[in-house]
Amino acid sequence: MSVPESIARRAAELREQINYHNYRYYVLDQPEIPDAEYDRLMRELQRLESQYPELITPDSPTQRVGAKPAEGFGEVRHLIPMLSLENCFSEDELRSFDRRVKERLGRTGAVRYCAEPKFDGLAVSLRYEQGYLVMGATRGDGYVGEDVTQNVRTVRSIPLRLRGESPPSVFEARGEIFMPKAGFEILNRKLAARGEKTFVNPRNAAAGSLRQLDPAVTASRPLAFYAYGWGEYQGIELPEFHSEMLEQMRQWGFPVSHEVKVVQGIEGCLAYYMDMEKRRPELPFEIDGVVFKVDSLAQQEILGMTSRAPRWAIAHKFPAQEEMTRLLDVEWQVGRTGALTPVARLEPVFVGGVTVSNATLHNMDEIERKDIRIGDTVVVRRAGDVIPEIVAVVKQRRPADARKIELPKKCPVCGSDVVRGEGEAIARCSGGLYCPAQRKGSILHFASRRAMNIEGLGEKLVDQLVEKGWVEHVDDLYRLTASQLAKLDRMGPKSAANLIESIERSKNTTMPRFLFALGIREIGEATAKLLAEHFGTLEALEKAALEDLKTEKDTSLKPEQRYPRLQAVPDIGPAAATHICHFFSQDRNRQIIANLLNVGVHWPPVKAKREGPLTGKTYVLTGALDHWTRDEAKAALESLGAHVSESVSKKTTAVIMGKDPGSKLDKARQLGVPILDEAAFETLVKGT
Ligand code: 9MJ
């Protein structure tokens, strides 16, 4: 049977593509396509070659395991080849593996398997002579790998010497070097902070870290190792089972995962697969499937191997968490504070078990760092319940007409200017409450349970109220009538009356809730409470904010010296103070507050935090005291009702000075604030 021309062409194309991706993956450590895509290419070629064996060329990528070793490391020949594993993706395929095993063994009963996680890292062989680590090598193409001895020696979980009285004279341990998830996150954060390239996933990070010509770099990376097999050995007898040998290796000091289990037959395998898939998100390391190995070493011997993989093992892979698709467009969502978030619209793709058509792009910095453009082919990742994200761009597939993603100059919802502060990642709509998106967000926040707690006022209702123009600002909520509400979608007279009642009830609130409900940026619940305790009344807070505003443009002051009244409140720094000042400086905001008070929003007087002889007094500590730690001194003052502030202002009652006082002392002198030494401080706290 001759091979149809189109099939021969396709096979050649696949060979070329696969060879190229092997090179990217094994030599450059820079894969361009997700594993799932690579697997598909390989399977397609394998299928064509099994249909038309005359297509098989000696250099076909199906005829070997990996690719050439990179230049830079010495070569290591594996006396016993480091084979890869046959993959399967479904229960059916796993069942046919089990059937083949039974047929070859000529038995009908359940086969005993050793079930292992499939670690997602890079395979290495570690050679020990007389118990000492003498060589570490990567898999390479399975026959020749790279000498990474100096690098593996830096991996702390790899024993440099075997434990026990009589170690084998020669032993090659095989297993996976990988980067635990937590270490990967930290490493990427560090790299990003230094402006260096981050890694796409823990596997690439592990490969990139191990294959460093400078072992000092490897040493600084959080790598780990698990053993799951062996190569050459001399001077020992093998036990009956693979799992027993792993136990023996554990005795010699190799890390062997506690997730390794012996299971019986195909049913045992399927149960193990399901259990690991469920627990995958909580494991501290990445796995991309599970591996089943015929546990009896005698049976392994009978089964033998093909040129690429043992016939006694199979990897049952989880659905891919990364897939490729096209970025169709980017839309900008506007949040309550006006923050613009880019959202990627994708050509729908099945990834991580669901169809994904949107992914977050976080912010403009992220887009620029990854150089993402509209029209690009991108790698989308969806792991567990995490929001799908774009991890990388396949640059080689960038179409000529790919468009740069631009931060809109105008808010897509209200058309106001978009502003992005110097050095800030987040851009915002400057429309404030004029912007319907911000208005809806701020109304929902105002009504939320921990703010004004207006029960029954949800997103759908707020959308309608804003769109109909009935509620422009939060004070409008208190002018709604039951007959008006009853006209809205999915609202009967009863639910309208209930809503009016809960709006009415919300008028009776507390000052912290009210302050929190206003939605001033960076003013969360805790800060709202501190503000209320510090200022006691809204008038006092407003007055402080307007006074403090005058210090904003005073460049002779350091940021921490500006806004002294607001910054006298614990936890409030220059950024939060700026937001408070700006909020109260807007006539529109003050008008809304006045309206809210007019319609009857009220709260009981605020109790000062602690009543005591020093209530109303504010102290600042500077320098080290001999007999008190800073926290002890602060606690002593607070227990008497005083407030201890971080910065000196005219309101400061006194500054308490220890050894090596800082600039706060100068500030106190400048402002004529009394200064107490340690003795005077002790008289104050003990005598009062
Ligand atoms: C991984 N990657 O976790 C094997 N593997 O066994 C496990 N890989 C393997 N076993 C023989 N658990 C060849 C590869």
Side-chain angles (χ1 to χ4, degrees), residues 413-416 429-439 472-473 588:
V413 178
C414 74
S416 300
C429 158
S430 62
L433 292 179
Y434 168 76
C435 176
Q438 294 190 52
R439 217 180 301 150
E472 209 176 329
H473 302 305
R588 205 160 48 183

Side-chain angles (χ1 to χ4, degrees), residues 83-85 116-120 176 228 291 293 310 312-313:
L83 298 177
S84 59
L85 292 166
E116 304 170 1
K118 186 169 188 304
F119 307 106
D120 205 4
E176 203 87 352
Y228 52 64
V291 180
K293 295 175 179 170
W312 41 262

Side-chain angles (χ1 to χ4, degrees), residues 336 440-458 462 474 477 506 509 513-514 516-519 525:
R336 165 170 78 85
K440 286 176 187 173
S442 66
I443 293 165
L444 277 168
H445 170 77
F446 182 84
S448 65
R449 199 169 54 80
R450 308 189 75 100
M452 299 301 276
N453 191 21
I454 304 179
E455 254 174 81
L457 191 60
V462 169
V474 290
L477 289 169
S506 75
T509 187
R513 273 178 178 272
F514 182 77
F516 174 56
L518 293 175
E525 273 184 284

Side-chain angles (χ1 to χ4, degrees), residues 66-81:
K68 278 199 194 67
E71 281 168 32
F73 291 105
E75 288 191 354
V76 176
R77 187 160 291 278
H78 302 300
L79 206 66
I80 298 185

Side-chain angles (χ1 to χ4, degrees), residues 16-88:
E16 193 175 324
Q17 280 181 15
I18 294 167
N19 279 331
Y20 170 74
H21 291 302
N22 275 344
Y23 173 76
R24 303 273 326 178
Y25 185 103
Y26 290 104
V27 180
L28 303 183
D29 282 335
Q30 284 171 353
E32 245 170 54
I33 55 173
D35 290 359
E37 179 71 15
Y38 177 87
D39 288 345
R40 267 193 297 271
L41 296 174
M42 194 63 141
R43 282 154 83 84
E44 188 184 343
L45 182 59
Q46 278 165 354
R47 208 181 48 241
L48 294 182
E49 287 181 347
S50 64
Q51 269 170 352
Y52 303 98
E54 53 273 57
L55 279 178
I56 300 175
T57 57
D59 70 333
S60 172
T62 59
Q63 301 303 300
R64 61 176 188 169
V65 185
K68 278 199 194 67
E71 281 168 32
F73 291 105
E75 288 191 354
V76 176
R77 187 160 291 278
H78 302 300
L79 206 66
I80 298 185
M82 288 182 78
L83 298 177
S84 59
L85 292 166
E86 192 191 329
N87 286 328
C88 76

Side-chain angles (χ1 to χ4, degrees), residues 84 114 185 221 374 385 408 421 579 596 609:
S84 59
C114 180
E185 297 295 334
R221 301 284 170 82
I374 295 166
D385 291 330
H579 294 311
L596 287 167
K609 210 159 65 183

